[in-house]
Amino acid sequence: MLQVLISAIAGYAFGAVWYMVLAKKWVAATGIEVDENGKPVDTSPLPFIVAFISALVVAGMMRHIFVMAGIDTVGKGLTTGLGLGLFVAAPWIVNNVMFGDRDRSLIWIDGGYAAGGCAVIGLVLALF
């Protein structure tokens, strides 16, 4: 269970850095209301809490997959995590963006987070 928690924290931290770097582009693409300083008006902690719980769910399922598939090296963990992000999570994000008629740059921003976050989680899981 500790490896799931640590890998979830690592995936969440990756997301924090990813979205800090892409914050202006992401806010513009989502159309979130901002104040005169460009900061989002709604500062509820709920999205951050949900994001961490989601990282725990992803890390837990990835651990299960890794155990069942015998993924036991850092290279396998990293590439399997990346593959899950690119070929399982990201296509759903593409669907949501396209059907929601949202700014297509979100495909790259949010899809990149899914791919990178899963890769980081896979890497950390494999370290244990």
Side-chain angles (χ1 to χ4, degrees):
M1 181 62 185
L2 182 61
Q3 74 186 109
V4 170
L5 179 62
I6 293 170
S7 62
I9 291 169
Y12 185 85
F14 171 81
V17 171
W18 182 262
Y19 284 106
M20 280 192 285
V21 169
L22 298 171
K24 288 182 182 179
K25 290 179 181 182
W26 182 80
V27 167
T30 60
I32 290 175
E33 185 181 351
V34 295
D35 63 18
E36 63 278 351
N37 298 318
K39 304 287 185 194
V41 173
D42 182 10
T43 58
S44 167
L46 186 59
F48 299 98
I49 295 166
V50 171
F52 183 71
I53 292 169
S54 296
L56 276 172
V57 169
V58 170
M61 188 63 210
M62 284 179 62
R63 181 187 175 278
H64 174 72
I65 291 168
F66 283 22
V67 168
M68 298 298 290
I71 296 166
D72 56 1
T73 67
V74 171
K76 289 178 184 177
L78 178 65
T79 57
T80 302
L82 180 62
L84 288 168
L86 283 173
F87 302 112
V88 176
W92 291 109
I93 291 169
V94 172
N95 287 341
N96 289 338
V97 168
M98 297 305 291
F99 279 105
D101 195 27
R102 300 176 73 206
D103 187 309
R104 291 192 178 137
S105 66
L106 289 171
I107 291 170
W108 303 107
I109 297 169
D110 295 340
Y113 164 62
C118 285
V120 167
I121 289 171
L123 173 72
V124 174
L125 284 173
L127 288 172
F128 284 91

